[in-house]
Amino acid sequence: MISLKTTYIALGSNKGNKLQNLQAAVDTIFVRVGNVNKISKVYQTPAIGFEGDDFYNACIKVETELKPKRLLKALQDIESKLGRESKTTDGYESREIDLDILFYDNEIIEEKTLVIPHPELQKRRFVLQPLFDIAKDFEHPFLNKNIEVLLKECEDASIIETINIWLKNQSKEYT
């Protein structure tokens, strides 16, 4: 019997047609990773840590058969397919698409190439706000606080604006 795991993935884009990039990522994740059960609102947020156009950010809840490392590889392949290029600097830079694994069930993974839960998510309003839309009661397995509490405690004062456009879901089981 195949075991499905719930993963939460953050999506971001600040280069090219941002909304189209996010939609292409959701569509490809549905095909390559698993059933997309929930999609947050899309938010516009400033680039943090570098000069660049504003980001569009969203989060999705996905049911997958993939193990964490295979999930990471699939997301990296999707990023590459959608035009993300290798970094040219040590810091942050603009990108067509950025896909980050936030949670993988309640697992805690600390390896050289993969850390789950995402180590910075509790510091980033642009991650917590869309995650709140789809998983406000999900408890961070390391910090033992739910997303609602993490969002309230977040010290990131970035301005986040809701975009009045929704990403579409290919799944018939969308909730």
Side-chain angles (χ1 to χ4, degrees):
M1 171 126 180
I2 296 173
S3 172
L4 290 177
K5 299 288 188 172
T6 299
T7 185
Y8 291 93
I9 300 169
L11 300 85
S13 176
N14 80 325
K15 194 174 176 183
N17 186 328
K18 297 180 271 195
L19 193 62
Q20 185 176 320
N21 293 341
L22 294 180
Q23 185 63 62
V26 170
D27 294 346
T28 310
I29 287 168
F30 172 71
V31 171
R32 303 250 336 257
V33 174
N35 197 40
V36 178
N37 288 339
K38 290 187 178 181
I39 302 174
S40 74
K41 296 175 187 171
V42 177
Y43 293 89
Q44 182 172 327
T45 61
I48 297 175
F50 71 100
E51 289 293 321
D53 290 343
D54 286 352
F55 273 86
Y56 280 7
N57 291 289
C59 287
I60 58 175
K61 177 183 178 183
V62 180
E63 300 297 324
T64 186
E65 298 174 6
L66 300 178
K67 302 280 186 225
K69 282 192 175 182
R70 287 182 97 49
L71 173 60
L72 176 63
K73 175 75 169 100
L75 294 178
Q76 290 170 337
D77 289 348
I78 292 167
E79 287 177 333
S80 179
K81 177 185 175 212
L82 297 179
R84 181 161 180 180
E85 298 171 2
S86 297
K87 289 173 62 169
T88 57
T89 65
D90 285 339
Y92 295 113
E93 55 189 27
S94 293
R95 55 202 84 109
E96 283 83 358
I97 195 70
D98 185 33
L99 303 173
D100 289 321
I101 303 168
L102 302 176
F103 297 109
Y104 185 88
D105 267 351
N106 290 317
E107 292 188 28
I108 296 173
I109 301 169
E110 293 186 22
E111 297 177 6
K112 186 176 180 180
T113 58
L114 181 61
V115 178
I116 300 174
H118 191 288
E120 299 291 318
L121 75 90
Q122 69 276 7
K123 299 175 185 175
R124 297 176 172 170
R125 187 167 301 281
F126 67 87
V127 172
L128 290 170
Q129 185 62 58
L131 189 56
F132 173 83
D133 290 349
I134 61 172
K136 72 177 186 176
D137 295 324
F138 185 85
E139 189 168 294
H140 191 295
F142 187 72
L143 299 176
N144 299 315
K145 296 178 180 180
N146 69 27
I147 302 308
E148 184 173 22
V149 171
L150 292 175
L151 180 59
K152 286 178 184 172
E153 293 178 350
C154 183
E155 295 179 9
D156 176 3
S158 299
I159 296 170
I160 296 178
E161 297 178 43
T162 305
I163 302 296
N164 201 16
I165 300 172
W166 289 83
L167 298 173
K168 295 176 180 71
N169 191 342
Q170 303 299 323
S171 170
K172 290 179 175 39
E173 300 175 29
Y174 181 66
T175 56

